[in-house]
PDB file of all heavy atoms in Angstrom:
ATOM      1  N   LEU K   1      -8.273  11.659  -1.623  1.00  0.00           N
ATOM      2  CA  LEU K   1      -7.880  12.472  -0.412  1.00  0.00           C
ATOM      3  C   LEU K   1      -7.884  13.920  -0.857  1.00  0.00           C
ATOM      4  O   LEU K   1      -7.761  14.308  -2.040  1.00  0.00           O
ATOM      5  CB  LEU K   1      -6.475  11.975   0.034  1.00  0.00           C
ATOM      6  CG  LEU K   1      -6.336  10.614   0.521  1.00  0.00           C
ATOM      7  CD1 LEU K   1      -4.938  10.240   0.975  1.00  0.00           C
ATOM      8  CD2 LEU K   1      -7.302  10.354   1.660  1.00  0.00           C
ATOM      9  N   PRO K   2      -8.159  14.902   0.153  1.00  0.00           N
ATOM     10  CA  PRO K   2      -8.164  16.342  -0.110  1.00  0.00           C
ATOM     11  C   PRO K   2      -6.915  16.778  -0.890  1.00  0.00           C
ATOM     12  O   PRO K   2      -6.955  17.603  -1.789  1.00  0.00           O
ATOM     13  CB  PRO K   2      -8.173  16.812   1.256  1.00  0.00           C
ATOM     14  CG  PRO K   2      -8.921  15.819   2.122  1.00  0.00           C
ATOM     15  CD  PRO K   2      -8.393  14.591   1.527  1.00  0.00           C
ATOM     16  N   GLU K   3      -5.687  16.197  -0.450  1.00  0.00           N
ATOM     17  CA  GLU K   3      -4.546  16.420  -1.242  1.00  0.00           C
ATOM     18  C   GLU K   3      -3.989  14.995  -1.645  1.00  0.00           C
ATOM     19  O   GLU K   3      -3.547  14.234  -0.819  1.00  0.00           O
ATOM     20  CB  GLU K   3      -3.445  17.088  -0.380  1.00  0.00           C
ATOM     21  CG  GLU K   3      -3.838  18.583  -0.023  1.00  0.00           C
ATOM     22  CD  GLU K   3      -2.702  19.331   0.687  1.00  0.00           C
ATOM     23  OE1 GLU K   3      -1.627  18.674   0.854  1.00  0.00           O
ATOM     24  OE2 GLU K   3      -2.974  20.368   1.183  1.00  0.00           O
ATOM     25  N   PRO K   4      -4.069  14.715  -2.897  1.00  0.00           N
ATOM     26  CA  PRO K   4      -3.616  13.348  -3.422  1.00  0.00           C
ATOM     27  C   PRO K   4      -2.306  13.014  -2.842  1.00  0.00           C
ATOM     28  O   PRO K   4      -1.372  13.767  -2.777  1.00  0.00           O
ATOM     29  CB  PRO K   4      -3.604  13.519  -4.935  1.00  0.00           C
ATOM     30  CG  PRO K   4      -4.571  14.616  -5.174  1.00  0.00           C
ATOM     31  CD  PRO K   4      -4.472  15.542  -4.042  1.00  0.00           C
ATOM     32  N   VAL K   5      -2.081  11.734  -2.443  1.00  0.00           N
ATOM     33  CA  VAL K   5      -0.851  11.221  -1.883  1.00  0.00           C
ATOM     34  C   VAL K   5      -0.314  10.064  -2.745  1.00  0.00           C
ATOM     35  O   VAL K   5      -1.060   9.198  -3.155  1.00  0.00           O
ATOM     36  CB  VAL K   5      -1.128  10.743  -0.399  1.00  0.00           C
ATOM     37  CG1 VAL K   5       0.169  10.038   0.182  1.00  0.00           C
ATOM     38  CG2 VAL K   5      -1.565  11.809   0.467  1.00  0.00           C
ATOM     39  N   GLU K   6       1.003  10.147  -2.984  1.00  0.00           N
ATOM     40  CA  GLU K   6       1.693   9.164  -3.694  1.00  0.00           C
ATOM     41  C   GLU K   6       2.376   8.086  -2.751  1.00  0.00           C
ATOM     42  O   GLU K   6       2.975   8.536  -1.809  1.00  0.00           O
ATOM     43  CB  GLU K   6       2.667   9.688  -4.646  1.00  0.00           C
ATOM     44  CG  GLU K   6       2.130  10.486  -5.868  1.00  0.00           C
ATOM     45  CD  GLU K   6       3.152  10.915  -6.801  1.00  0.00           C
ATOM     46  OE1 GLU K   6       4.307  10.673  -6.514  1.00  0.00           O
ATOM     47  OE2 GLU K   6       2.798  11.374  -7.871  1.00  0.00           O
ATOM     48  N   ILE K   7       2.246   6.808  -3.032  1.00  0.00           N
ATOM     49  CA  ILE K   7       2.836   5.730  -2.219  1.00  0.00           C
ATOM     50  C   ILE K   7       3.653   4.874  -3.301  1.00  0.00           C
ATOM     51  O   ILE K   7       3.080   4.176  -4.079  1.00  0.00           O
ATOM     52  CB  ILE K   7       1.846   4.850  -1.493  1.00  0.00           C
ATOM     53  CG1 ILE K   7       0.896   5.798  -0.681  1.00  0.00           C
ATOM     54  CG2 ILE K   7       2.583   3.969  -0.612  1.00  0.00           C
ATOM     55  CD1 ILE K   7      -0.178   5.014   0.070  1.00  0.00           C
ATOM     56  N   ARG K   8       4.917   4.883  -3.186  1.00  0.00           N
ATOM     57  CA  ARG K   8       5.760   4.158  -4.102  1.00  0.00           C
ATOM     58  C   ARG K   8       5.840   2.710  -3.605  1.00  0.00           C
ATOM     59  O   ARG K   8       5.863   2.391  -2.467  1.00  0.00           O
ATOM     60  CB  ARG K   8       7.145   4.703  -4.078  1.00  0.00           C
ATOM     61  CG  ARG K   8       8.203   3.963  -5.010  1.00  0.00           C
ATOM     62  CD  ARG K   8       9.511   4.623  -5.073  1.00  0.00           C
ATOM     63  NE  ARG K   8       9.389   6.013  -5.455  1.00  0.00           N
ATOM     64  CZ  ARG K   8       9.346   6.385  -6.735  1.00  0.00           C
ATOM     65  NH1 ARG K   8       9.431   5.487  -7.712  1.00  0.00           N
ATOM     66  NH2 ARG K   8       9.223   7.675  -7.048  1.00  0.00           N
ATOM     67  N   MET K   9       5.635   1.762  -4.602  1.00  0.00           N
ATOM     68  CA  MET K   9       5.566   0.421  -4.290  1.00  0.00           C
ATOM     69  C   MET K   9       6.997  -0.199  -3.992  1.00  0.00           C
ATOM     70  O   MET K   9       7.763  -0.629  -4.933  1.00  0.00           O
ATOM     71  CB  MET K   9       4.912  -0.442  -5.393  1.00  0.00           C
ATOM     72  CG  MET K   9       4.724  -1.849  -5.193  1.00  0.00           C
ATOM     73  SD  MET K   9       3.463  -2.245  -3.915  1.00  0.00           S
ATOM     74  CE  MET K   9       4.517  -3.076  -2.755  1.00  0.00           C
ATOM     75  N   THR K  10       7.393  -0.247  -2.705  1.00  0.00           N
ATOM     76  CA  THR K  10       8.665  -0.777  -2.419  1.00  0.00           C
ATOM     77  C   THR K  10       8.495  -1.744  -1.185  1.00  0.00           C
ATOM     78  O   THR K  10       7.462  -1.662  -0.592  1.00  0.00           O
ATOM     79  CB  THR K  10       9.619   0.297  -1.978  1.00  0.00           C
ATOM     80  OG1 THR K  10       9.140   0.997  -0.766  1.00  0.00           O
ATOM     81  CG2 THR K  10       9.831   1.354  -3.156  1.00  0.00           C
ATOM     82  N   ALA K  11       9.471  -2.586  -0.909  1.00  0.00           N
ATOM     83  CA  ALA K  11       9.353  -3.446   0.189  1.00  0.00           C
ATOM     84  C   ALA K  11       9.223  -2.628   1.505  1.00  0.00           C
ATOM     85  O   ALA K  11       8.518  -3.050   2.449  1.00  0.00           O
ATOM     86  CB  ALA K  11      10.662  -4.349   0.304  1.00  0.00           C
ATOM     87  N   GLU K  12       9.968  -1.502   1.608  1.00  0.00           N
ATOM     88  CA  GLU K  12       9.876  -0.745   2.783  1.00  0.00           C
ATOM     89  C   GLU K  12       8.575  -0.028   3.056  1.00  0.00           C
ATOM     90  O   GLU K  12       8.302   0.379   4.228  1.00  0.00           O
ATOM     91  CB  GLU K  12      10.927   0.464   2.588  1.00  0.00           C
ATOM     92  CG  GLU K  12      12.415  -0.048   2.675  1.00  0.00           C
ATOM     93  CD  GLU K  12      12.895  -0.717   1.366  1.00  0.00           C
ATOM     94  OE1 GLU K  12      12.243  -0.486   0.406  1.00  0.00           O
ATOM     95  OE2 GLU K  12      13.842  -1.423   1.390  1.00  0.00           O
ATOM     96  N   ALA K  13       7.694   0.040   2.026  1.00  0.00           N
ATOM     97  CA  ALA K  13       6.462   0.593   2.206  1.00  0.00           C
ATOM     98  C   ALA K  13       5.360  -0.314   2.727  1.00  0.00           C
ATOM     99  O   ALA K  13       4.283   0.095   3.133  1.00  0.00           O
ATOM    100  CB  ALA K  13       5.946   1.192   0.784  1.00  0.00           C
ATOM    101  N   VAL K  14       5.722  -1.642   2.712  1.00  0.00           N
ATOM    102  CA  VAL K  14       4.750  -2.604   3.301  1.00  0.00           C
ATOM    103  C   VAL K  14       4.624  -2.457   4.809  1.00  0.00           C
ATOM    104  O   VAL K  14       5.645  -2.552   5.535  1.00  0.00           O
ATOM    105  CB  VAL K  14       5.173  -4.045   2.947  1.00  0.00           C
ATOM    106  CG1 VAL K  14       4.247  -5.057   3.514  1.00  0.00           C
ATOM    107  CG2 VAL K  14       5.300  -4.179   1.382  1.00  0.00           C
ATOM    108  N   THR K  15       3.445  -2.202   5.337  1.00  0.00           N
ATOM    109  CA  THR K  15       3.202  -2.074   6.714  1.00  0.00           C
ATOM    110  C   THR K  15       2.275  -2.985   7.343  1.00  0.00           C
ATOM    111  O   THR K  15       2.235  -3.089   8.597  1.00  0.00           O
ATOM    112  CB  THR K  15       2.603  -0.610   6.980  1.00  0.00           C
ATOM    113  OG1 THR K  15       1.493  -0.442   6.177  1.00  0.00           O
ATOM    114  CG2 THR K  15       3.627   0.511   6.601  1.00  0.00           C
ATOM    115  N   ASP K  16       1.718  -3.862   6.630  1.00  0.00           N
ATOM    116  CA  ASP K  16       0.859  -4.920   7.140  1.00  0.00           C
ATOM    117  C   ASP K  16       0.642  -6.054   6.151  1.00  0.00           C
ATOM    118  O   ASP K  16       0.514  -5.739   5.009  1.00  0.00           O
ATOM    119  CB  ASP K  16      -0.536  -4.266   7.525  1.00  0.00           C
ATOM    120  CG  ASP K  16      -1.317  -5.173   8.496  1.00  0.00           C
ATOM    121  OD1 ASP K  16      -0.954  -6.311   8.786  1.00  0.00           O
ATOM    122  OD2 ASP K  16      -2.421  -4.810   9.012  1.00  0.00           O
ATOM    123  N   THR K  17       0.657  -7.278   6.726  1.00  0.00           N
ATOM    124  CA  THR K  17       0.386  -8.411   5.836  1.00  0.00           C
ATOM    125  C   THR K  17      -0.678  -9.370   6.341  1.00  0.00           C
ATOM    126  O   THR K  17      -0.697 -10.520   5.983  1.00  0.00           O
ATOM    127  CB  THR K  17       1.650  -9.187   5.610  1.00  0.00           C
ATOM    128  OG1 THR K  17       2.266  -9.585   6.853  1.00  0.00           O
ATOM    129  CG2 THR K  17       2.792  -8.367   4.849  1.00  0.00           C
ATOM    130  N   ARG K  18      -1.467  -8.922   7.255  1.00  0.00           N
ATOM    131  CA  ARG K  18      -2.554  -9.692   7.779  1.00  0.00           C
ATOM    132  C   ARG K  18      -3.688  -9.698   6.861  1.00  0.00           C
ATOM    133  O   ARG K  18      -4.386  -8.754   6.613  1.00  0.00           O
ATOM    134  CB  ARG K  18      -2.974  -9.212   9.221  1.00  0.00           C
ATOM    135  CG  ARG K  18      -1.879  -9.276  10.270  1.00  0.00           C
ATOM    136  CD  ARG K  18      -2.334  -8.565  11.521  1.00  0.00           C
ATOM    137  NE  ARG K  18      -2.443  -7.031  11.235  1.00  0.00           N
ATOM    138  CZ  ARG K  18      -2.868  -6.125  12.177  1.00  0.00           C
ATOM    139  NH1 ARG K  18      -3.193  -6.589  13.353  1.00  0.00           N
ATOM    140  NH2 ARG K  18      -2.899  -4.931  11.840  1.00  0.00           N
ATOM    141  N   LEU K  19      -4.013 -10.923   6.288  1.00  0.00           N
ATOM    142  CA  LEU K  19      -5.095 -11.122   5.354  1.00  0.00           C
ATOM    143  C   LEU K  19      -4.881 -10.418   4.011  1.00  0.00           C
ATOM    144  O   LEU K  19      -5.545 -10.807   2.977  1.00  0.00           O
ATOM    145  CB  LEU K  19      -6.374 -10.706   5.907  1.00  0.00           C
ATOM    146  CG  LEU K  19      -6.796 -11.336   7.215  1.00  0.00           C
ATOM    147  CD1 LEU K  19      -8.132 -10.875   7.644  1.00  0.00           C
ATOM    148  CD2 LEU K  19      -6.947 -12.916   7.087  1.00  0.00           C
ATOM    149  N   ALA K  20      -3.932  -9.433   3.897  1.00  0.00           N
ATOM    150  CA  ALA K  20      -3.768  -8.759   2.627  1.00  0.00           C
ATOM    151  C   ALA K  20      -2.465  -7.981   2.874  1.00  0.00           C
ATOM    152  O   ALA K  20      -1.967  -7.738   3.926  1.00  0.00           O
ATOM    153  CB  ALA K  20      -4.889  -7.782   2.266  1.00  0.00           C
ATOM    154  N   SER K  21      -1.910  -7.615   1.749  1.00  0.00           N
ATOM    155  CA  SER K  21      -0.649  -6.811   1.727  1.00  0.00           C
ATOM    156  C   SER K  21      -0.976  -5.321   1.657  1.00  0.00           C
ATOM    157  O   SER K  21      -1.659  -4.877   0.771  1.00  0.00           O
ATOM    158  CB  SER K  21       0.358  -7.119   0.619  1.00  0.00           C
ATOM    159  OG  SER K  21       0.703  -8.393   0.726  1.00  0.00           O
ATOM    160  N   THR K  22      -0.488  -4.517   2.655  1.00  0.00           N
ATOM    161  CA  THR K  22      -0.808  -3.083   2.726  1.00  0.00           C
ATOM    162  C   THR K  22       0.470  -2.311   2.688  1.00  0.00           C
ATOM    163  O   THR K  22       1.387  -2.537   3.297  1.00  0.00           O
ATOM    164  CB  THR K  22      -1.537  -2.797   4.067  1.00  0.00           C
ATOM    165  OG1 THR K  22      -2.782  -3.514   4.112  1.00  0.00           O
ATOM    166  CG2 THR K  22      -1.833  -1.355   4.186  1.00  0.00           C
ATOM    167  N   ILE K  23       0.388  -1.210   1.828  1.00  0.00           N
ATOM    168  CA  ILE K  23       1.486  -0.268   1.821  1.00  0.00           C
ATOM    169  C   ILE K  23       0.962   1.099   2.227  1.00  0.00           C
ATOM    170  O   ILE K  23      -0.198   1.374   2.192  1.00  0.00           O
ATOM    171  CB  ILE K  23       2.108  -0.093   0.300  1.00  0.00           C
ATOM    172  CG1 ILE K  23       0.949   0.387  -0.577  1.00  0.00           C
ATOM    173  CG2 ILE K  23       2.679  -1.460  -0.031  1.00  0.00           C
ATOM    174  CD1 ILE K  23       1.464   0.640  -1.979  1.00  0.00           C
ATOM    175  N   SER K  24       1.841   1.818   2.843  1.00  0.00           N
ATOM    176  CA  SER K  24       1.469   3.143   3.443  1.00  0.00           C
ATOM    177  C   SER K  24       2.623   4.153   3.402  1.00  0.00           C
ATOM    178  O   SER K  24       3.749   3.764   3.477  1.00  0.00           O
ATOM    179  CB  SER K  24       0.812   3.012   4.791  1.00  0.00           C
ATOM    180  OG  SER K  24       1.785   2.575   5.683  1.00  0.00           O
ATOM    181  N   THR K  25       2.155   5.466   3.529  1.00  0.00           N
ATOM    182  CA  THR K  25       3.113   6.454   3.859  1.00  0.00           C
ATOM    183  C   THR K  25       2.304   7.584   4.651  1.00  0.00           C
ATOM    184  O   THR K  25       1.215   7.943   4.185  1.00  0.00           O
ATOM    185  CB  THR K  25       3.738   7.059   2.527  1.00  0.00           C
ATOM    186  OG1 THR K  25       4.684   8.086   2.907  1.00  0.00           O
ATOM    187  CG2 THR K  25       2.636   7.639   1.702  1.00  0.00           C
ATOM    188  N   GLY K  26       2.862   8.018   5.724  1.00  0.00           N
ATOM    189  CA  GLY K  26       2.168   8.985   6.574  1.00  0.00           C
ATOM    190  C   GLY K  26       0.884   8.341   7.040  1.00  0.00           C
ATOM    191  O   GLY K  26       0.777   7.202   7.541  1.00  0.00           O
ATOM    192  N   GLY K  27      -0.181   8.967   6.791  1.00  0.00           N
ATOM    193  CA  GLY K  27      -1.517   8.457   7.217  1.00  0.00           C
ATOM    194  C   GLY K  27      -2.305   7.805   6.125  1.00  0.00           C
ATOM    195  O   GLY K  27      -3.421   7.418   6.281  1.00  0.00           O
ATOM    196  N   ALA K  28      -1.709   7.880   4.880  1.00  0.00           N
ATOM    197  CA  ALA K  28      -2.326   7.179   3.725  1.00  0.00           C
ATOM    198  C   ALA K  28      -1.892   5.792   3.433  1.00  0.00           C
ATOM    199  O   ALA K  28      -0.750   5.539   3.705  1.00  0.00           O
ATOM    200  CB  ALA K  28      -2.073   8.045   2.561  1.00  0.00           C
ATOM    201  N   LYS K  29      -2.878   4.937   3.036  1.00  0.00           N
ATOM    202  CA  LYS K  29      -2.469   3.550   2.799  1.00  0.00           C
ATOM    203  C   LYS K  29      -3.293   3.038   1.628  1.00  0.00           C
ATOM    204  O   LYS K  29      -4.347   3.548   1.230  1.00  0.00           O
ATOM    205  CB  LYS K  29      -2.814   2.634   4.052  1.00  0.00           C
ATOM    206  CG  LYS K  29      -4.308   2.477   4.348  1.00  0.00           C
ATOM    207  CD  LYS K  29      -4.521   1.611   5.570  1.00  0.00           C
ATOM    208  CE  LYS K  29      -6.075   1.475   5.785  1.00  0.00           C
ATOM    209  NZ  LYS K  29      -6.269   0.400   6.912  1.00  0.00           N
ATOM    210  N   VAL K  30      -2.816   1.838   1.011  1.00  0.00           N
ATOM    211  CA  VAL K  30      -3.605   1.150   0.069  1.00  0.00           C
ATOM    212  C   VAL K  30      -3.365  -0.329   0.439  1.00  0.00           C
ATOM    213  O   VAL K  30      -2.284  -0.777   0.628  1.00  0.00           O
ATOM    214  CB  VAL K  30      -3.022   1.311  -1.405  1.00  0.00           C
ATOM    215  CG1 VAL K  30      -3.801   0.511  -2.363  1.00  0.00           C
ATOM    216  CG2 VAL K  30      -3.118   2.859  -1.753  1.00  0.00           C
ATOM    217  N   GLN K  31      -4.456  -1.080   0.594  1.00  0.00           N
ATOM    218  CA  GLN K  31      -4.433  -2.484   0.982  1.00  0.00           C
ATOM    219  C   GLN K  31      -4.876  -3.445  -0.134  1.00  0.00           C
ATOM    220  O   GLN K  31      -5.493  -2.936  -1.174  1.00  0.00           O
ATOM    221  CB  GLN K  31      -5.205  -2.692   2.209  1.00  0.00           C
ATOM    222  CG  GLN K  31      -6.680  -2.261   2.095  1.00  0.00           C
ATOM    223  CD  GLN K  31      -7.527  -2.553   3.368  1.00  0.00           C
ATOM    224  OE1 GLN K  31      -7.212  -3.466   4.190  1.00  0.00           O
ATOM    225  NE2 GLN K  31      -8.475  -1.715   3.653  1.00  0.00           N
ATOM    226  N   THR K  32      -4.521  -4.598   0.012  1.00  0.00           N
ATOM    227  CA  THR K  32      -4.870  -5.704  -0.951  1.00  0.00           C
ATOM    228  C   THR K  32      -4.171  -5.472  -2.299  1.00  0.00           C
ATOM    229  O   THR K  32      -4.741  -5.474  -3.274  1.00  0.00           O
ATOM    230  CB  THR K  32      -6.372  -5.933  -1.156  1.00  0.00           C
ATOM    231  OG1 THR K  32      -6.946  -5.830   0.207  1.00  0.00           O
ATOM    232  CG2 THR K  32      -6.632  -7.295  -1.625  1.00  0.00           C
ATOM    233  N   VAL K  33      -2.871  -5.055  -2.253  1.00  0.00           N
ATOM    234  CA  VAL K  33      -2.181  -4.768  -3.532  1.00  0.00           C
ATOM    235  C   VAL K  33      -1.583  -6.060  -4.244  1.00  0.00           C
ATOM    236  O   VAL K  33      -1.124  -5.958  -5.353  1.00  0.00           O
ATOM    237  CB  VAL K  33      -1.009  -3.764  -3.242  1.00  0.00           C
ATOM    238  CG1 VAL K  33      -1.629  -2.460  -2.660  1.00  0.00           C
ATOM    239  CG2 VAL K  33       0.017  -4.400  -2.312  1.00  0.00           C
ATOM    240  N   GLU K  34      -1.669  -7.196  -3.527  1.00  0.00           N
ATOM    241  CA  GLU K  34      -0.890  -8.372  -4.009  1.00  0.00           C
ATOM    242  C   GLU K  34      -1.343  -8.931  -5.358  1.00  0.00           C
ATOM    243  O   GLU K  34      -0.462  -9.392  -6.198  1.00  0.00           O
ATOM    244  CB  GLU K  34      -0.971  -9.426  -2.983  1.00  0.00           C
ATOM    245  CG  GLU K  34      -2.272 -10.010  -2.565  1.00  0.00           C
ATOM    246  CD  GLU K  34      -2.885  -9.231  -1.389  1.00  0.00           C
ATOM    247  OE1 GLU K  34      -2.548  -8.080  -1.127  1.00  0.00           O
ATOM    248  OE2 GLU K  34      -3.741  -9.810  -0.747  1.00  0.00           O
ATOM    249  N   HIS K  35      -2.609  -8.907  -5.725  1.00  0.00           N
ATOM    250  CA  HIS K  35      -2.985  -9.485  -6.994  1.00  0.00           C
ATOM    251  C   HIS K  35      -2.622  -8.531  -8.188  1.00  0.00           C
ATOM    252  O   HIS K  35      -2.152  -9.054  -9.205  1.00  0.00           O
ATOM    253  CB  HIS K  35      -4.571  -9.655  -7.021  1.00  0.00           C
ATOM    254  CG  HIS K  35      -5.032 -10.613  -6.028  1.00  0.00           C
ATOM    255  ND1 HIS K  35      -6.394 -10.649  -5.535  1.00  0.00           N
ATOM    256  CD2 HIS K  35      -4.381 -11.542  -5.285  1.00  0.00           C
ATOM    257  CE1 HIS K  35      -6.537 -11.524  -4.656  1.00  0.00           C
ATOM    258  NE2 HIS K  35      -5.380 -12.055  -4.425  1.00  0.00           N
ATOM    259  N   LEU K  36      -2.768  -7.189  -8.018  1.00  0.00           N
ATOM    260  CA  LEU K  36      -2.274  -6.377  -9.015  1.00  0.00           C
ATOM    261  C   LEU K  36      -0.765  -6.442  -9.134  1.00  0.00           C
ATOM    262  O   LEU K  36      -0.298  -6.427 -10.227  1.00  0.00           O
ATOM    263  CB  LEU K  36      -2.718  -4.893  -8.753  1.00  0.00           C
ATOM    264  CG  LEU K  36      -2.278  -3.739  -9.631  1.00  0.00           C
ATOM    265  CD1 LEU K  36      -2.538  -4.035 -11.019  1.00  0.00           C
ATOM    266  CD2 LEU K  36      -2.983  -2.455  -9.173  1.00  0.00           C
ATOM    267  N   MET K  37       0.006  -6.526  -8.012  1.00  0.00           N
ATOM    268  CA  MET K  37       1.456  -6.602  -8.167  1.00  0.00           C
ATOM    269  C   MET K  37       1.899  -7.921  -8.780  1.00  0.00           C
ATOM    270  O   MET K  37       2.847  -7.989  -9.466  1.00  0.00           O
ATOM    271  CB  MET K  37       1.993  -6.510  -6.802  1.00  0.00           C
ATOM    272  CG  MET K  37       1.893  -5.116  -6.150  1.00  0.00           C
ATOM    273  SD  MET K  37       2.606  -3.788  -7.203  1.00  0.00           S
ATOM    274  CE  MET K  37       1.166  -3.193  -8.018  1.00  0.00           C
ATOM    275  N   SER K  38       1.040  -8.992  -8.577  1.00  0.00           N
ATOM    276  CA  SER K  38       1.460 -10.226  -9.218  1.00  0.00           C
ATOM    277  C   SER K  38       1.256 -10.126 -10.773  1.00  0.00           C
ATOM    278  O   SER K  38       2.159 -10.641 -11.534  1.00  0.00           O
ATOM    279  CB  SER K  38       0.453 -11.344  -8.729  1.00  0.00           C
ATOM    280  OG  SER K  38       0.729 -12.616  -9.370  1.00  0.00           O
ATOM    281  N   ALA K  39       0.192  -9.479 -11.201  1.00  0.00           N
ATOM    282  CA  ALA K  39       0.001  -9.265 -12.663  1.00  0.00           C
ATOM    283  C   ALA K  39       1.218  -8.417 -13.202  1.00  0.00           C
ATOM    284  O   ALA K  39       1.682  -8.786 -14.328  1.00  0.00           O
ATOM    285  CB  ALA K  39      -1.245  -8.515 -12.848  1.00  0.00           C
TER     286      ALA K  39
END
């Protein structure tokens, strides 16, 4: 992103779980985090 955005991995950051787990803050998101989080 033009200005890098940090998204802390917390339960409150989860905004979608359809087909994948997505975390977000503001307008920035990261999806399909579940396999990395399992590791």
Side-chain angles (χ1 to χ4, degrees):
L1 299 176
E3 292 187 9
V5 175
E6 293 188 350
I7 308 176
R8 185 177 297 277
M9 186 66 244
T10 64
E12 292 75 19
V14 177
T15 53
D16 197 352
T17 56
R18 293 171 297 177
L19 302 180
S21 297
T22 300
I23 59 173
S24 64
T25 182
K29 69 177 182 179
V30 179
Q31 56 181 331
T32 321
V33 301
E34 58 269 23
H35 298 160
L36 176 52
M37 291 302 97
S38 177

